[in-house]
mmCIF file of all heavy atoms in Angstrom:
data_model
loop_
_atom_site.group_PDB
_atom_site.id
_atom_site.type_symbol
_atom_site.label_atom_id
_atom_site.label_comp_id
_atom_site.label_asym_id
_atom_site.label_seq_id
_atom_site.Cartn_x
_atom_site.Cartn_y
_atom_site.Cartn_z
ATOM 1 N N GLY A 1 162.793 4.353 80.842
ATOM 2 C CA GLY A 1 161.854 3.319 81.365
ATOM 3 C C GLY A 1 161.768 3.316 82.929
ATOM 4 O O GLY A 1 161.304 2.313 83.466
ATOM 5 N N LEU A 2 162.141 4.417 83.563
ATOM 6 C CA LEU A 2 162.083 4.486 85.026
ATOM 7 C C LEU A 2 160.912 5.225 85.607
ATOM 8 O O LEU A 2 160.375 4.891 86.620
ATOM 9 C CB LEU A 2 163.394 5.127 85.578
ATOM 10 C CG LEU A 2 164.676 4.431 85.239
ATOM 11 C CD1 LEU A 2 165.844 5.250 85.821
ATOM 12 C CD2 LEU A 2 164.715 3.032 85.841
ATOM 13 N N HIS A 3 160.449 6.228 84.808
ATOM 14 C CA HIS A 3 159.371 7.100 85.317
ATOM 15 C C HIS A 3 157.977 6.462 85.089
ATOM 16 O O HIS A 3 157.690 6.133 83.966
ATOM 17 C CB HIS A 3 159.429 8.445 84.671
ATOM 18 C CG HIS A 3 158.570 9.504 85.272
ATOM 19 N ND1 HIS A 3 157.394 9.879 84.726
ATOM 20 C CD2 HIS A 3 158.707 10.251 86.379
ATOM 21 C CE1 HIS A 3 156.825 10.799 85.489
ATOM 22 N NE2 HIS A 3 157.617 11.012 86.500
ATOM 23 N N VAL A 4 157.212 6.284 86.131
ATOM 24 C CA VAL A 4 155.881 5.710 85.956
ATOM 25 C C VAL A 4 154.895 6.828 85.919
ATOM 26 O O VAL A 4 154.082 6.915 85.043
ATOM 27 C CB VAL A 4 155.568 4.740 87.140
ATOM 28 C CG1 VAL A 4 154.135 4.288 87.066
ATOM 29 C CG2 VAL A 4 156.544 3.609 87.119
ATOM 30 N N THR A 5 154.910 7.724 86.939
ATOM 31 C CA THR A 5 153.994 8.894 86.956
ATOM 32 C C THR A 5 154.495 9.908 87.993
ATOM 33 O O THR A 5 155.392 9.614 88.758
ATOM 34 C CB THR A 5 152.510 8.458 87.275
ATOM 35 O OG1 THR A 5 151.659 9.591 87.051
ATOM 36 C CG2 THR A 5 152.382 7.997 88.724
ATOM 37 N N GLY A 6 153.924 11.057 88.006
ATOM 38 C CA GLY A 6 154.236 12.040 88.984
ATOM 39 C C GLY A 6 153.227 13.151 88.963
ATOM 40 O O GLY A 6 152.426 13.236 88.017
ATOM 41 N N MET A 7 153.245 13.936 89.981
ATOM 42 C CA MET A 7 152.291 15.048 90.033
ATOM 43 C C MET A 7 152.634 15.985 91.165
ATOM 44 O O MET A 7 153.350 15.670 92.136
ATOM 45 C CB MET A 7 150.859 14.558 90.336
ATOM 46 C CG MET A 7 150.701 13.882 91.685
ATOM 47 S SD MET A 7 149.182 12.939 91.822
ATOM 48 C CE MET A 7 149.606 11.544 90.827
ATOM 49 N N GLY A 8 152.293 17.286 90.914
ATOM 50 C CA GLY A 8 152.422 18.281 91.949
ATOM 51 C C GLY A 8 151.163 18.307 92.821
ATOM 52 O O GLY A 8 150.141 17.793 92.402
ATOM 53 N N LEU A 9 151.289 18.892 93.977
ATOM 54 C CA LEU A 9 150.166 19.011 94.908
ATOM 55 C C LEU A 9 149.866 20.435 95.125
ATOM 56 O O LEU A 9 150.682 21.344 95.098
ATOM 57 C CB LEU A 9 150.471 18.379 96.225
ATOM 58 C CG LEU A 9 150.897 16.879 96.140
ATOM 59 C CD1 LEU A 9 151.380 16.386 97.538
ATOM 60 C CD2 LEU A 9 149.742 15.987 95.684
ATOM 61 N N HIS A 10 148.567 20.693 95.382
ATOM 62 C CA HIS A 10 148.103 22.032 95.788
ATOM 63 C C HIS A 10 148.703 22.371 97.120
ATOM 64 O O HIS A 10 149.107 21.474 97.894
ATOM 65 C CB HIS A 10 146.560 22.102 95.875
ATOM 66 C CG HIS A 10 145.923 22.119 94.492
ATOM 67 N ND1 HIS A 10 145.817 23.230 93.755
ATOM 68 C CD2 HIS A 10 145.380 21.102 93.753
ATOM 69 C CE1 HIS A 10 145.181 22.995 92.627
ATOM 70 N NE2 HIS A 10 144.981 21.654 92.603
ATOM 71 N N PRO A 11 148.829 23.654 97.502
ATOM 72 C CA PRO A 11 149.430 23.987 98.784
ATOM 73 C C PRO A 11 148.607 23.511 99.947
ATOM 74 O O PRO A 11 147.422 23.211 99.802
ATOM 75 C CB PRO A 11 149.503 25.546 98.707
ATOM 76 C CG PRO A 11 148.537 25.936 97.696
ATOM 77 C CD PRO A 11 148.428 24.832 96.754
ATOM 78 N N PRO A 12 149.257 23.529 101.163
ATOM 79 C CA PRO A 12 148.533 22.968 102.335
ATOM 80 C C PRO A 12 147.300 23.740 102.731
ATOM 81 O O PRO A 12 146.403 23.234 103.413
ATOM 82 C CB PRO A 12 149.559 23.020 103.456
ATOM 83 C CG PRO A 12 150.755 23.707 102.936
ATOM 84 C CD PRO A 12 150.562 23.881 101.434
ATOM 85 N N GLU A 13 147.155 24.989 102.230
ATOM 86 C CA GLU A 13 145.940 25.767 102.567
ATOM 87 C C GLU A 13 144.686 25.105 102.043
ATOM 88 O O GLU A 13 143.579 25.310 102.534
ATOM 89 C CB GLU A 13 146.033 27.185 101.931
ATOM 90 C CG GLU A 13 147.089 28.003 102.610
ATOM 91 C CD GLU A 13 148.441 27.810 102.116
ATOM 92 O OE1 GLU A 13 148.670 27.119 101.077
ATOM 93 O OE2 GLU A 13 149.402 28.278 102.770
ATOM 94 N N SER A 14 144.839 24.230 100.996
ATOM 95 C CA SER A 14 143.709 23.588 100.421
ATOM 96 C C SER A 14 143.447 22.153 101.022
ATOM 97 O O SER A 14 142.573 21.481 100.576
ATOM 98 C CB SER A 14 143.864 23.501 98.878
ATOM 99 O OG SER A 14 144.956 22.607 98.575
ATOM 100 N N ALA A 15 144.303 21.770 101.906
ATOM 101 C CA ALA A 15 144.254 20.376 102.465
ATOM 102 C C ALA A 15 143.292 20.227 103.628
ATOM 103 O O ALA A 15 142.988 21.172 104.278
ATOM 104 C CB ALA A 15 145.666 19.976 102.909
ATOM 105 N N THR A 16 142.836 19.003 103.828
ATOM 106 C CA THR A 16 142.033 18.610 105.000
ATOM 107 C C THR A 16 142.656 17.348 105.490
ATOM 108 O O THR A 16 142.879 16.414 104.766
ATOM 109 C CB THR A 16 140.603 18.415 104.628
ATOM 110 O OG1 THR A 16 140.046 19.614 104.107
ATOM 111 C CG2 THR A 16 139.779 17.943 105.814
ATOM 112 N N THR A 17 142.939 17.290 106.807
ATOM 113 C CA THR A 17 143.308 15.987 107.428
ATOM 114 C C THR A 17 142.070 15.342 108.007
ATOM 115 O O THR A 17 141.177 15.952 108.487
ATOM 116 C CB THR A 17 144.370 16.185 108.486
ATOM 117 O OG1 THR A 17 143.866 16.986 109.531
ATOM 118 C CG2 THR A 17 145.675 16.795 107.963
ATOM 119 N N VAL A 18 142.076 14.017 107.952
ATOM 120 C CA VAL A 18 140.990 13.234 108.498
ATOM 121 C C VAL A 18 141.538 12.234 109.508
ATOM 122 O O VAL A 18 142.470 11.478 109.193
ATOM 123 C CB VAL A 18 140.236 12.432 107.385
ATOM 124 C CG1 VAL A 18 139.135 11.622 107.908
ATOM 125 C CG2 VAL A 18 139.743 13.417 106.258
ATOM 126 N N ARG A 19 140.994 12.233 110.688
ATOM 127 C CA ARG A 19 141.311 11.329 111.707
ATOM 128 C C ARG A 19 139.986 10.744 112.261
ATOM 129 O O ARG A 19 139.067 11.513 112.471
ATOM 130 C CB ARG A 19 142.125 11.988 112.829
ATOM 131 C CG ARG A 19 143.497 12.469 112.516
ATOM 132 C CD ARG A 19 144.139 13.188 113.660
ATOM 133 N NE ARG A 19 145.419 13.690 113.358
ATOM 134 C CZ ARG A 19 145.710 14.903 112.796
ATOM 135 N NH1 ARG A 19 144.760 15.713 112.500
ATOM 136 N NH2 ARG A 19 146.979 15.184 112.538
ATOM 137 N N VAL A 20 139.967 9.467 112.530
ATOM 138 C CA VAL A 20 138.793 8.857 113.178
ATOM 139 C C VAL A 20 139.205 8.361 114.519
ATOM 140 O O VAL A 20 140.092 7.488 114.592
ATOM 141 C CB VAL A 20 138.160 7.798 112.304
ATOM 142 C CG1 VAL A 20 137.014 7.139 112.984
ATOM 143 C CG2 VAL A 20 137.751 8.336 110.943
ATOM 144 N N ARG A 21 138.596 8.883 115.559
ATOM 145 C CA ARG A 21 138.871 8.494 116.937
ATOM 146 C C ARG A 21 137.622 8.190 117.561
ATOM 147 O O ARG A 21 136.660 8.961 117.617
ATOM 148 C CB ARG A 21 139.634 9.633 117.724
ATOM 149 C CG ARG A 21 140.945 10.087 117.091
ATOM 150 C CD ARG A 21 142.029 8.981 117.115
ATOM 151 N NE ARG A 21 143.320 9.430 116.611
ATOM 152 C CZ ARG A 21 143.710 9.307 115.384
ATOM 153 N NH1 ARG A 21 142.955 8.831 114.455
ATOM 154 N NH2 ARG A 21 144.912 9.677 115.072
ATOM 155 N N GLY A 22 137.545 7.025 118.193
ATOM 156 C CA GLY A 22 136.305 6.645 118.847
ATOM 157 C C GLY A 22 135.084 6.657 117.996
ATOM 158 O O GLY A 22 134.032 6.955 118.442
ATOM 159 N N GLY A 23 135.287 6.349 116.685
ATOM 160 C CA GLY A 23 134.191 6.347 115.760
ATOM 161 C C GLY A 23 133.786 7.678 115.263
ATOM 162 O O GLY A 23 132.854 7.810 114.427
ATOM 163 N N GLU A 24 134.413 8.755 115.720
ATOM 164 C CA GLU A 24 134.094 10.107 115.314
ATOM 165 C C GLU A 24 135.192 10.675 114.353
ATOM 166 O O GLU A 24 136.347 10.596 114.659
ATOM 167 C CB GLU A 24 133.954 11.029 116.503
ATOM 168 C CG GLU A 24 133.526 12.456 116.154
ATOM 169 C CD GLU A 24 133.441 13.295 117.358
ATOM 170 O OE1 GLU A 24 133.322 12.838 118.514
ATOM 171 O OE2 GLU A 24 133.424 14.579 117.188
#
């Protein structure tokens, strides 16, 4: 009764970071 969910992630090569600075 402890595990709710889990998942693996694709490698960082497939990632995109998003930052918004000054509205851009």
Side-chain angles (χ1 to χ4, degrees):
L2 299 176
H3 190 259
V4 175
T5 191
M7 65 195 72
L9 301 174
H10 287 277
E13 292 82 11
S14 66
T16 299
T17 61
V18 179
R19 293 176 180 89
V20 177
R21 302 294 186 266
E24 182 180 342

